[in-house]
Amino acid sequence: ALQPVLSLLCSVGGGSNPFQHLEKSAVLQEARVFNETPINPRKCAHILTKILYLINQGEHLGTTEATEAFFAMTKLFQSNDPTLRRMCYLTIKEMSCIAEDVIIVTSSLTKDMTGKEDNYRGPAVRALCQITDSTMLQAIERYMKQAIVDKVPSVSSSALVSSLHLLKCSFDVVKRWVNEAQEAASSDNIMVQYHALGLLYHVRKNDRLAVNKMISKFTRHGLKSPFAYCMMIRVASKQLEEEDGSPLFDFIESCLRNKHEMVVYEAASAIVNLPGCSAKELAPAVSVLQLFCSSPKAALRYAAVRTLNKVAMKHPSAVTACNLDLENLVTDSNRSIATLAITTLLKTGSESSIDRLMKQISSFMSEISDEFKVVVVQAISALCQKYPRKHAVLMNFLFTMLREEGGFEYKRAIVDCIISIIEENTESKETGLSHLCEFIEDCEFTVLATRILHLLGQEGPKTNNPSKYIRFIYNRVVLEHEEVRAGAVSALAKFGAQNEEMLPSILVLLKRCVMDDDNEVRDRATFYLNVLEQKQKALNAGYILNGLTVSIPGLERALQQYTLEPSEKPFDLKSVPLATTPMAEQRTEQLAAVPEFHGLGPLFKSSPEPVALTESETEYVIRCTKHTFTDHMVFQFDCTNTLNDQTLENVTVQMEPTEAYEVLCYVPARSLPYNQPGTCYTLVALPKEDPTAVACTFSCMMKFTVKDCDPTTGETDDEGYEDEYVLEDLEVTVADHIQKVMKLNFEAAWDEVGDEFEKEETFTLSTIKTLEEAVGNIVKFLGMHPCERSDKVPDNKNTHTLLLAGVFRGGHDILVRSRLLLLDTVTMQVTARSSEELPVDIILASVG
Ligand SMILES: *[C@@H]1O[C@H](CO)[C@@H](O)[C@H](O)[C@H]1NC(C)=O
Ligand SMILES: *[C@@H]1O[C@H](CO)[C@@H](O)[C@H](O)[C@H]1NC(C)=O
């Protein structure tokens, strides 16, 4: 819609924006000119342009002023000036949701849409559909059907695109236009055919079978429009993500032989992006990309090498065949193409070629944009993982890049890459940290400086010579602005908390910071100083090395509540929720509205994804979300009735547990009319007899009263009868009782919890063959957070220790150290600690 406005802007004023200083009130004042007779089309079009400009700059128009301007504008329909008329159409579209009573222009637009002036008809259709709501749509339905099959392509395209927009609110009406859309899809005009197929696809996209039929029908007869082919390829590859379908794949592959380069590229790109594509399937796609590499058209070379670059990440061997063509592109005058060629070669080439390629690329690093420099950094990052022996060369390259000019995204990519090298390779830690120390001496990006300070606090104390980092960190306190100073103070405290020898000098430095100008810096320094002076490991662990795990807004609210209701009981940090996402807030509110759930205490956890208890496309669709409280669980069933001749009433889901959970009550969904979602709940108490038996299977049965009803009015006419419907079983696992929390320093957290309730057991995982698989399974099963990157198993090792942290319902920390040994099978020694006995017992009982 903005195109004419923008091109108008570009044509005037040679660069400077003539509308820069527009005042809304002055412009609206000018709009009075619309009422003058005779109409001055040039002047009026100019004023409309200004109004559109203001709206698009985000200027707020009040309803009254917008409505006034809109009504004045309607007078301009008396003029037959084509430019002015088209500006009116644009204004109607932009104002349709700000002004009131915009439907007043319906008859003018309908007239233009069916009139003689072809130039008006398309834009009139677009404007009309924009102001039409579902109730009015029936009135213009006849015209829309005619417009879709109009012989003027711009009219037909406008009608098809507008229909696509209307689908969102009036699906059932637009659905009736498929015959017309079918006819348009056979049009000789490439845009009309493309738009018609687009509409047909969106009408049918929830019906996989219909989509497959459509693809086979249109592709069998061949399509005129390369755009339509591209779209069909995208639709086919989307279908392929969800199902196997060799006809679909054959279609995409056949497009590799299309006469339009656009279609050939789209097909190749679709094939290489298909998940789980085999080397054999990949080969023809890679071949056409290889041909494109030597095309005289820069755009094709660029597209090909960019796609090959992506393929090389997953299937380097498939791209090796193109190495010669890629070598030719290394010297391409288009530096973007050269960069992509080199970074692709870095991924596919041999270790011996790295030095040569790195040298080549460094010769023009200064000529390429940041975006492509990031591509280089990503290639280096991949190389580091592949060739650990090349770390020194690659790190040096990164440090050189770090010292040169560059924007935030680029610098961040470098820092990320260095940090991941440091974290994964102990031998490169010291060099890496020193270079980063140098970088923060002169770093303009606060976020990067604080990130590096955080890393120094975490990794520095564990190095051989921790004291050498202190000067760099303290310099930040002296030289930087407050955010960086605060980060530096926290880093200093972490050294003091882990190193007794350095503690006295750290205390001296922190004492200097308590006089800082900034509140945050001063508060942090005062706090850390007081904690460190206690010289207690548990305090250091809880308050300096690992910090708070509860949600800060949640803490604020809980404290406020506590002050409002004074009590003898001290404030309990365990009552504060761990996370307050908008989703969690919404759930808490929704549950608080049910009287049966009052007194359950704070909601501890909700399952992140609802579980489907019915297959899709059954008569009732039921999904369950599990909510865990300290001593209870609430199962929320979101139900939809898809039968239009039935209304369900008094709907509950009856549950039978395999363990000693006790069903306390069912909260029914009163009524479940056709297609209107409703919710019912089941409340259960956790097992009391054997509190460790939390892992449980519930068999579920939906019970309800069915009343037959009139599908059009929804009126019920009988008493109804009781019925039931068997649902899938619902699993409750130990993970439903635990929330993930991150412990930056696991050892400190381990010491802090202490060994009062420590238990240890050894298990054999007989069906598991690798350490990686074991680690993945344990993390998923317990639903705890893997700490200190212990979920990454180094290659060629047969022992590994996995460190997991979580909070058990009720707010107790639970930590698990799992030592794994791989012989023929995996043996696992699990040690669990918590501040209470029950969580430890539950972990060991559930693993066993
Ligand atoms: C390289 O070619 C692509 C595709 O034609 C183009 O978009 C890009 O601007 C070119 N880049 C340079 C640095 O010339
Ligand atoms: C609703 O259903 C429950 C359980 O199926 C039943 O006990 C109860 O009597 C029903 N209530 C009404 C009002 O029909």
Side-chain angles (χ1 to χ4, degrees), residues 297-303 332-337 367-369 372:
K297 295 182 191 164
L300 277 187
R301 297 199 304 278
Y302 177 75
D332 202 291
S333 61
N334 179 316
R335 291 308 196 195
S336 312
I337 295 175
E367 292 169 50
I368 61 181
S369 68
F372 286 91

Side-chain angles (χ1 to χ4, degrees), residues 81-108:
D81 181 86
T83 311
L84 181 57
R85 181 64 59 87
R86 300 196 66 165
M87 284 309 293
C88 287
Y89 298 137
L90 285 179
T91 313
I92 292 169
K93 287 205 286 183
E94 293 294 314
M95 284 193 146
S96 62
C97 45
I98 322 175
E100 281 179 339
D101 299 326
V102 287
I103 53 167
I104 189 114
V105 287
T106 305
S107 64
S108 305

Side-chain angles (χ1 to χ4, degrees), residues 510-563:
L510 286 177
K511 273 184 194 136
R512 292 193 204 152
C513 303
V514 298
M515 308 300 280
D516 197 280
D517 292 338
D518 180 74
N519 280 341
E520 172 76 25
V521 179
R522 217 166 42 229
D523 288 354
R524 283 194 194 196
T526 312
F527 175 74
Y528 291 136
L529 193 59
N530 280 289
V531 174
L532 287 172
E533 279 170 344
Q534 310 299 316
K535 299 201 167 95
Q536 288 184 32
K537 265 195 162 174
L539 289 182
N540 289 349
Y543 295 111
I544 299 179
L545 301 173
N546 282 317
L548 273 184
T549 45
V550 297
S551 115
I552 302 294
L555 177 60
E556 189 179 356
R557 210 161 328 136
L559 282 169
Q560 194 192 12
Q561 197 59 36
Y562 184 75
T563 55

